[in-house]
Amino acid sequence: NRLVPRPLKVFITGASSGLGAALAQHYGAQGAQLGLLGRRLEGLQQTAADLNARLYLADVRDAAAMQAAAETFLQEIGPPDIVIAAAGISVGTLTEEAPDTPVFRAVMDANVLGLVHTFQPFIAPMEAGGGTLCGISSVAGVRGLPGGGAYSASKAAATIYLEALRLELKSRGIAVVTVAPGYIDTPMTQVNPYAMPFRMHAPAAAKKVAGCIARRRAYTVIPWQMAWVARLMKWLPIPVYDALF
């Protein structure tokens, strides 16, 4: 008799819309047992329609709520094979504007501490069977973008945090995958008033992220065209970069 592989157990944050929802659809189509977390119940319910999913209403900035959601998932489904931290905040900010100060904090809390709050409760339970933690960073973290100080800083911090975590967990059999997308056509980017080259549809981006997870890629920029843009941005001399932006 041929062994039938068991369904994957996948926990995804930011699953009420955008890339998180697309990832839920991608893994759900493969029969995965899903834990879907987000801040909007209606969005989570729309994502979870016809999927084998349990829903968790929480904000990734709330460590206690994330701990509670993880404990419930562990009790109901067991240690996950994959945890994807796809929740995040993207918003323009200006340091000179006093009302933007709490926005800076919200962005940093969601995009950096949200990763910690998502992964921490699962690390010990996942150790026995291995598994993969995936954090969604951004090309915006390669260099500072004017008007996007909070977002660029948060994604740069996320990338470095995930690299440190990868090294910490390497000997324990848990892979840490960092994916830095360019532009994805989601409600978060549809309000952008500027051109977005190489923009991906969310299902296509989800497929690429899932491929990185399956291959346990340490760091990947998607799509490949944006990877070349990121390399160019990284190595541009400061005077040239300043003149361009």
Side-chain angles (χ1 to χ4, degrees):
N1 293 332
R2 298 180 64 182
L3 293 176
V4 178
R6 65 170 178 79
L8 288 172
K9 294 174 284 187
V10 185
F11 187 89
I12 304 171
T13 71
S16 54
S17 66
L19 179 60
L23 284 161
Q25 294 289 337
H26 177 86
Y27 284 106
Q30 300 176 4
Q33 294 179 284
L34 300 172
L36 306 180
L37 184 140
R39 293 186 294 170
R40 296 185 301 106
L41 180 59
E42 182 180 358
L44 286 174
Q45 290 171 335
Q46 290 175 353
T47 299
D50 302 321
L51 300 180
N52 180 10
R54 288 171 171 78
L55 308 183
Y56 307 96
L57 196 63
D59 189 323
V60 295
R61 294 173 290 180
D62 186 336
M66 294 301 294
Q67 181 74 37
E71 288 176 355
T72 303
F73 182 90
L74 290 166
Q75 291 168 4
E76 294 178 343
I77 299 180
D81 301 294
I82 299 169
V83 177
I84 306 174
I89 297 175
S90 173
V91 64
T93 49
L94 292 173
T95 300
E96 67 196 63
E97 298 291 338
D100 280 4
T101 299
V103 181
F104 269 85
R105 180 177 295 278
V107 171
M108 297 300 290
D109 283 352
N111 295 356
V112 184
L113 289 176
L115 297 173
V116 180
H117 299 159
T118 299
F119 295 147
Q120 188 276 326
F122 289 116
I123 290 174
M126 288 175 70
E127 191 167 0
T132 303
L133 307 177
C134 175
I136 305 300
S137 185
S138 172
V139 172
V142 174
R143 299 289 288 261
L145 298 175
Y151 189 68
S152 288
S154 71
K155 291 303 185 178
T159 296
I160 297 301
Y161 161 72
L162 290 164
E163 182 170 60
L165 185 65
R166 185 182 76 244
L167 296 173
E168 291 168 6
L169 298 182
K170 199 173 186 70
S171 64
R172 297 165 67 177
I174 300 174
V176 178
V177 170
T178 303
V179 182
Y183 297 108
I184 303 173
D185 188 11
T186 68
M188 191 164 67
T189 61
Q190 287 165 1
V191 299
N192 292 344
Y194 48 80
M196 292 177 281
F198 314 121
R199 179 165 47 173
M200 297 175 287
H201 293 296
K207 184 176 180 180
K208 291 180 183 296
V209 172
C212 294
I213 292 171
R215 295 190 297 274
R216 294 187 149 201
R217 295 284 299 273
Y219 177 84
T220 308
V221 175
I222 59 172
W224 66 266
Q225 297 96 327
M226 193 57 76
W228 285 103
V229 172
R231 291 187 183 99
L232 178 63
M233 287 175 61
K234 182 176 181 180
W235 297 112
L236 276 179
I238 289 175
V240 178
Y241 183 79
D242 287 0
L244 286 173
F245 283 87

